[in-house]
Amino acid sequence: MIKPFLGHGFGGRSRWLLALVTAFGITAPAAAQSFDLLIVNGTVYDGTGSAPQRANVGVKDGKIVAVGALATGSARRRIDASGLAVAPGFIDAHTHVAEAVAKVPGPFLTPQLLTQGVTTMLIGADGGFSPNELRQIIRSLIEKGSGTNYGCYIGHNGIRTEVLGKAHRTATRSELNQMRELVREGMRLGCVGLSAGLMYDPGMFSGPDEIIALAREVRPFGGIYDAHSRHPVIEFMSAETETIDIGASAGIPAKLGHLKAVGLVNEGRSAEIVAAVEAARKLGREVVADMYPYDGAATGLLHEVLMFREDISRDPTKPPSLLEVQARLRKIAADPAAVAELKDATENGIDGGFAWGKAVGYGSMRVIDAPGRSELVGQNLELLARERNVDPFALLVALVSGGGDMTITVGSMAEKDVQNLMRQPWMMIASDGFYTGTDSRSDSGGHPRSTGTFTRVLGRYVRDVGLFSLEEAIRRMTSLPAEHLNMRDRGRIAPGFAADIVVFDPEKVADQSTYKEPNRFSSGIIDVIVNGRLALIGGKLTGEAAGKFVPRETASR
């Protein structure tokens, strides 16, 4: 059918001609066209993985209307992209950026995304938000203006909290029915599907049957299932295949969120999950994954790994300070029962709740910054404990008690596994990043993925390592997520598609952030166009807030 691209202000013969352009990839005669924006002399990567071509791109009324020579086309503004790549704006299918919208007076420009070439972000990953919470966030983004477009997931943890609070039990039939209605409500808002965060409280207390029942509610809407796996380290394979099985049982596509082989116990096991995904795809199931290009997952301060019962009702965004924790450790040092209680809570969670020691284990924790103790940087806690012939918990307590605080990643990975997962054709690139502003309201969580994910792939893994081609990398960032998320007018440079475009220098594009300096913006992204408006010119923010809510296409798959 041609009609989805009709009716954009073209009448008569021009409308018929645009239909042919869309259907067959031909370009209208240059003399007949005028544009709001014309990008000339660039090397165009259309987002499909096809070989690039020298072409010009014409934009009018927020849409791409022509791609080709266009030598005589008139335009209000021209961008000379000589020597540069022109690609669809990147789609970040897994972010936590919009959680910070209330902290920013506005507009919410998302500079860490725009400087990576990202023009659309997905909010509500890892089971984040209920319909009411999504409405509040979307309302704020509309009122303040957003630098990027945004879509959303309806979140299992959000709706479970609304119905059950933080109850550590399975849902009753009545509660499950309430949650099912909230899932439908989220889908009617335009969400792309259901997201779960089964490693976290309260999602960890729900069984597969609950998730399957909720996932089935998104099927009539053409939705998907996206999950943070339940036990990503200790039960790596069964946790990831649970996501595949839930998608199959619900009859919907499934995405394995920020897939990785974490910890010493899983080094080299990326091949196993690749084989499982391939087996499911051979059966005709739509199974994909996303990942960020780093050898460490979430970062945090070492003392925050310790779990004290007195903090169970504390605001999780305000953990105890290092000095407070050191004072507590001194107080209980001579009480074996109190030390044993702390050890159990740290390694198993308080009343079975969330704890990093339970979720990932000491073999997944690696020191990434240790002021004044440089000999510890790069050390894995479990290996260090073996070397010193002590219990890992005892080592943790000794390190926390012994001086200044240290930063760790709670999800260390082997580089060979990072590369093996990244080279898979069904692997999209996504940041799992947090907001990083140009001022003190940054909320990045201390990880370079927030500011460097997309540019690191383009620079390090495409240009320097040669893991795959530039056109393939762009496909993973554009048409692959767009098609999976049912955002059918994004992710390609083609007539009729939204004018979300990035112009960058393939020879210079690079991430600048590190674990020690995670908030440094990327380089090499020259211009970014969002819905036909320039959000970045010459690598500098314009202040333009052209982003809008992008709902899932309403047609079922």
Side-chain angles (χ1 to χ4, degrees), residues 140-198:
S140 292
L141 289 170
I142 291 172
E143 290 173 353
K144 294 180 177 183
S146 174
T148 57
N149 302 308
Y150 44 95
C152 62
Y153 302 96
I154 181 65
H156 171 242
N157 282 345
I159 63 174
R160 199 175 208 273
T161 300
E162 188 166 312
V163 174
L164 284 84
K166 294 292 185 179
H168 291 189
R169 60 172 174 80
T170 58
T172 66
R173 179 177 296 182
S174 173
E175 290 165 340
L176 182 59
N177 285 336
Q178 292 178 63
M179 287 192 285
R180 291 170 64 190
E181 174 53 34
L182 287 173
V183 172
R184 291 191 291 268
E185 187 178 336
M187 296 306 290
R188 289 192 290 268
L189 285 175
C191 289
V192 300
L194 175 69
S195 173
L198 301 180

Side-chain angles (χ1 to χ4, degrees), residues 21 410 429 533:
V21 167
V410 292
I429 305 303
R533 292 156 63 184

Side-chain angles (χ1 to χ4, degrees), residues 156-442:
H156 171 242
N157 282 345
I159 63 174
R160 199 175 208 273
T161 300
E162 188 166 312
V163 174
L164 284 84
K166 294 292 185 179
H168 291 189
R169 60 172 174 80
T170 58
T172 66
R173 179 177 296 182
S174 173
E175 290 165 340
L176 182 59
N177 285 336
Q178 292 178 63
M179 287 192 285
R180 291 170 64 190
E181 174 53 34
L182 287 173
V183 172
R184 291 191 291 268
E185 187 178 336
M187 296 306 290
R188 289 192 290 268
L189 285 175
C191 289
V192 300
L194 175 69
S195 173
L198 301 180
M199 189 179 81
Y200 301 115
D201 189 343
M204 63 173 64
F205 299 103
S206 58
D209 288 347
E210 176 178 316
I211 308 301
I212 291 169
L214 299 179
R216 284 176 175 157
E217 296 300 327
V218 311
R219 183 176 180 180
F221 298 89
I224 64 168
Y225 175 61
D226 176 85
H228 185 308
S229 66
R230 191 182 297 272
H231 301 294
V233 179
I234 308 304
E235 300 175 15
F236 169 57
M237 280 300 297
S238 62
E240 297 297 349
T241 56
E242 180 185 29
T243 300
I244 298 173
D245 294 341
I246 287 172
S249 297
I252 59 176
K255 178 160 74 67
L256 285 62
H258 40 52
L259 183 60
K260 47 194 171 287
V262 172
L264 298 175
V265 296
N266 294 313
E267 185 171 341
R269 299 189 70 193
S270 60
E272 295 179 40
I273 191 60
V274 168
V277 172
E278 291 288 355
R281 290 173 65 86
K282 285 180 181 177
L283 293 174
R285 300 173 185 168
E286 185 182 333
V287 180
V288 298
D290 70 59
M291 69 176 292
Y292 43 82
Y294 295 92
D295 64 358
T299 59
L301 297 174
L302 182 65
H303 77 267
E304 293 173 356
V305 174
L306 292 166
M307 297 290 290
F308 292 87
R309 179 168 287 277
E310 55 260 47
D311 292 329
I312 192 168
S313 59
R314 188 169 184 155
D315 183 347
T317 65
K318 299 177 180 179
S321 69
L322 172 62
L323 292 178
E324 184 179 351
V325 169
Q326 288 174 332
R328 291 178 181 181
L329 290 175
R330 288 193 295 271
K331 184 177 180 180
I332 68 171
D335 184 348
V339 173
E341 181 182 50
L342 176 61
K343 183 177 191 296
D344 180 67
T346 297
E347 296 179 346
N348 300 300
I350 299 170
D351 298 331
F354 178 79
W356 281 117
K358 170 185 174 181
V360 302
Y362 300 111
S364 301
M365 300 179 188
R366 184 179 71 241
V367 178
I368 58 177
D369 189 35
R373 307 168 83 178
S374 59
E375 74 280 2
L376 295 175
V377 175
Q379 294 276 13
N380 179 286
L381 292 194
E382 184 174 314
L383 293 179
L384 187 60
R386 290 181 196 172
E387 180 183 309
R388 297 185 178 185
N389 197 30
V390 297
D391 179 78
F393 174 76
L395 173 66
L396 171 62
V397 170
L399 292 174
V400 171
S401 301
D405 215 342
M406 291 182 284
T407 304
I408 62 169
T409 173
V410 292
S412 63
M413 294 164 262
E415 177 66 16
K416 63 183 179 182
D417 287 312
V418 173
Q419 293 194 23
N420 186 42
L421 290 173
M422 198 185 307
R423 66 167 56 96
Q424 304 307 318
W426 35 263
M427 180 64 72
M428 62 185 73
I429 305 303
S431 72
D432 192 25
F434 289 77
Y435 173 75
T436 304
T438 56
D439 54 29
S440 60
R441 287 181 291 269
S442 296

